[in-house]
Amino acid sequence: VISLSTKDIREVFELSYDFDMLAIKYAMASDDKDAFITALADNISLCQSHLKKGEIDKWGDASDDFHLAFYTFANNTRLESAAYRLRAQLTLIYAMCKIEIRKHEQIQRYHDDIYEYLKAGDMENARQALHSHINEDLSLAIEYMVEEK
């Protein structure tokens, strides 16, 4: 049995946000910026298709790929490696708390917004959207853990 404290959950979400922002910064500054934006657009289209069809499990996998694209295009193997280890913990928390099941449409709206801001080169609004996304998920995870006790 895995037991996570509120502090554990908070640390995972906060570090996830920091890693995502660092990866986005690297991806947006890279020569592969256009390919990065295209990959995000393709992911958004796929995720929206899964939602329309009610394919929530497929949507969940594709939704996670949205964040993983940040690391693919960051072109930093050490950041990518550290992020994958952290995302394994985040995936566990999501599964335990059933966050994606409870709010998949809201998560998709955040992803859509982040993509639109990045496409427009608006890093500040992309940062704010990602921060809101992560903080909302953190709040839900903590709320769920408190309810389960």
Side-chain angles (χ1 to χ4, degrees), residues 13 134-144:
F13 276 95
I134 298 298
N135 278 341
E136 186 170 321
D137 288 0
L138 169 60
S139 294
L140 283 172
I142 291 171
E143 173 189 319
Y144 180 84

Side-chain angles (χ1 to χ4, degrees), residues 15-80:
L15 191 55
S16 175
Y17 165 77
D18 290 340
F19 280 7
D20 279 5
M21 279 310 304
L22 186 57
I24 288 170
K25 177 183 168 188
Y26 289 167
M28 292 295 285
S30 79
D31 292 337
D32 293 334
K33 176 184 171 186
D34 292 338
F36 171 56
I37 297 299
T38 298
L40 292 180
D42 292 346
N43 177 271
I44 292 292
S45 179
L46 178 62
C47 286
Q48 289 172 346
S49 174
H50 288 315
L51 276 180
K52 286 179 186 171
K53 295 176 187 174
E55 300 170 337
I56 303 307
D57 287 342
K58 289 181 181 179
W59 171 84
D61 291 339
S63 175
D64 196 43
D65 289 344
F66 179 80
H67 290 267
L68 296 178
F70 304 162
Y71 301 97
T72 299
F73 288 93
N75 295 316
N76 185 308
T77 57
R78 285 165 179 79
L79 175 60
E80 186 174 11

